Amino acid sequence: MIEASQWRRAFELALELLGEQPSVARWHRAAGQCALHLRRPEIAHRHLQEALRLQPSDHLTRYFLSHSLRLQGRLREAESELHGAIDSEPADSDYWIELGWLAYERRDFASAERCARRACDLNPQCARAATLRVAAKSQLPQSQGGYRKDARAQIAALCETLALDPHNDAALHNMGVVYFNELGEFAEAEQYFRQALALQPDDALYS
């Protein structure tokens, strides 16, 4: 895991390089990516927009730009940029995962599950894709292939996700939510919440 101090140094280096070469797209993209990790989406957006202006065909920049827009609550714009990235590189599972979370945030759980399934097909060992799929299916009724209100099915699916990546903080947190909200097993829930917090101590969701 890269520490925040390393992202700050990388951001400072990108700015130094931009001071020497202000019209190089990859330095703007690097600055934007670092700013995203430093939770400064407005600054990230500015650099990523400039990177895309300089190199309109760069689908990775579109992906990062979409994420900056999502963090600012500009979901329709974020989705538009993601579709552009997918059009250029449809085999990148990360793009489908991000599109799926956008669908999830607008409560279109069926679309979120389809995106997650596509990502899993592209990368069967991707724990992030599996996490999204479990989250989406947990909101869908059995008639739509989901397991809403079926806590044990959710736990089984999350265990499969954690088998792919035992350090998946989102899956650990979601496991805690199931034990807390669905089963009322508070001690078990606390264990999972603590594990997620240990992996991401700066995440406000876990503290």
Side-chain angles (χ1 to χ4, degrees), residues 69-117:
L69 288 163
R70 178 184 167 200
L71 291 175
Q72 295 175 77
R74 298 161 63 178
L75 302 187
R76 289 186 181 277
E77 295 170 80
E79 187 169 343
S80 177
E81 294 296 346
L82 263 181
H83 280 296
I86 289 171
D87 288 344
S88 298
E89 189 54 64
D92 193 310
S93 61
D94 284 341
Y95 299 173
W96 288 100
I97 293 168
E98 187 77 4
L99 187 63
W101 280 120
L102 283 169
Y104 188 94
E105 288 182 17
R106 67 169 189 272
R107 303 188 66 78
D108 184 352
F109 303 121
S111 292
E113 196 278 331
R114 284 193 295 271
C115 290
R117 192 177 344 127

Side-chain angles (χ1 to χ4, degrees), residues 57-75:
S57 62
D58 186 354
H59 52 84
L60 184 56
T61 295
R62 285 194 184 278
Y63 168 69
F64 289 137
L65 181 59
S66 171
H67 194 61
S68 76
L69 288 163
R70 178 184 167 200
L71 291 175
Q72 295 175 77
R74 298 161 63 178
L75 302 187

